[in-house]
Amino acid sequence: MPSQRTILVFGGTGQTGRHLTDLALGAGHRVRVLARTPAKAGPPRVGLEVRQGSVTEELDLDGLVDGVDAVVSLLGDVQAQRTAMVNTAFVRRLVPAMRRTGVRRFLYQAGALSAPPHARLTPTLWAIRNTVARSYDGQHRDNEAVMRYLADEAMDLEWMVHRAGIGSDGPSKGMLERTEGTPGIGTFGDCAAYDLRLLDDPTAVHTMSLSAYRKTGRRAGGVARDRS
């Protein structure tokens, strides 16, 4: 990935997306955001391009993807995903457009309670999903279908999935790292910073990992390597 790049963000006006946009622009990158309501993308800024539209509508995806270095999906609509596989349908249209325009890097943010293909949640995560988080089950099933599609039909792309344990907004709690262990409950800003680093981590390609905060005393560095 180039040091200065153009990133296309779907879900850029959401809670994590706004942070990722700010961080990317602050680092000197260009950001292209698709927004149903462009005003929600904030004030005009150098490097920010906002295009009006929705992933549930007809889009010129080739035009949206053309000229970018990476695509990030932070999409989530708990109400819509209760009755429809919104993200799966969209990703199935997005991936062919990426192939046609030669864009290879794709980051998809799911949730920590979404299980990757051919794997099971830990008993603790399974219990949380089926009790206090039951109202989000549609989102997790949609995320799981996206992950199956990427693993089964899109291995030619450099995709990565961040199964984020997002809690709330607020001050940074530290640096998130990739893990196969217990996920951390990250802030929106910390998850956005992690996503931005993940885009530049070649060891993250074709992974569907959780994230957790770095423990005190560990050496500084980027995203931790998988041990799987």
Side-chain angles (χ1 to χ4, degrees), residues 175-225:
M175 180 177 285
L176 289 166
E177 297 181 318
R178 203 161 81 241
T179 183
E180 298 305 318
T182 303
I185 306 301
T187 66
F188 298 121
D190 290 342
C191 285
Y194 172 87
D195 288 338
L196 203 56
R197 294 195 307 275
L198 202 66
L199 282 174
D200 283 328
D201 182 2
T203 72
V205 173
H206 296 163
T207 63
M208 300 178 176
S209 300
L210 301 162
S211 61
Y213 283 104
R214 175 185 295 150
K215 295 181 180 179
T216 304
R218 291 192 60 180
R219 66 179 180 83
V223 182
R225 291 176 177 267

Side-chain angles (χ1 to χ4, degrees), residues 39-211:
K40 290 185 178 181
R45 285 164 284 174
V46 174
L48 176 63
E49 176 188 0
V50 183
R51 298 194 185 183
Q52 186 170 20
S54 168
V55 299
T56 59
E57 302 168 351
E58 287 297 320
L59 294 170
D60 176 13
L61 282 174
D62 287 26
L64 271 172
V65 174
D66 188 38
V68 307
D69 299 296
V71 179
V72 175
S73 174
L74 305 170
L75 296 168
D77 185 333
V78 64
Q79 296 295 335
Q81 288 170 292
R82 283 176 179 163
T83 57
M85 296 289 194
V86 178
N87 288 7
T88 304
F90 174 65
V91 171
R92 282 184 170 273
R93 291 188 288 131
L94 172 65
V95 165
M98 292 179 64
R99 290 182 177 131
R100 289 190 295 268
T101 53
V103 179
R104 294 176 52 78
R105 188 63 58 97
F106 177 48
L107 185 149
Y108 181 86
Q109 182 169 283
L113 301 180
S114 301
H118 314 300
R120 294 182 179 181
L121 297 174
T122 65
T124 298
L125 293 181
W126 185 92
I128 294 171
R129 173 168 168 168
N130 288 278
T131 54
V132 296
R134 286 189 66 179
S135 61
Y136 296 92
D137 190 63
Q139 280 193 316
H140 298 307
R141 288 186 288 105
D142 197 4
N143 287 334
E144 289 166 349
V146 170
M147 288 189 279
R148 287 195 300 272
Y149 169 72
L150 293 175
D152 293 344
E153 302 183 47
M155 291 297 286
D156 56 308
L157 297 187
E158 296 175 347
W159 53 258
M160 54 204 67
V161 177
H162 175 202
R163 293 163 53 223
I166 297 177
S168 63
D169 216 344
S172 173
K173 294 163 57 179
M175 180 177 285
L176 289 166
E177 297 181 318
R178 203 161 81 241
T179 183
E180 298 305 318
T182 303
I185 306 301
T187 66
F188 298 121
D190 290 342
C191 285
Y194 172 87
D195 288 338
L196 203 56
R197 294 195 307 275
L198 202 66
L199 282 174
D200 283 328
D201 182 2
T203 72
V205 173
H206 296 163
T207 63
M208 300 178 176
S209 300
L210 301 162
S211 61

Side-chain angles (χ1 to χ4, degrees), residues 5-20:
R5 57 188 181 273
T6 299
I7 305 170
L8 172 61
V9 183
F10 294 101
T13 61
Q15 292 167 308
T16 303
R18 290 195 297 269
H19 285 284
L20 188 141

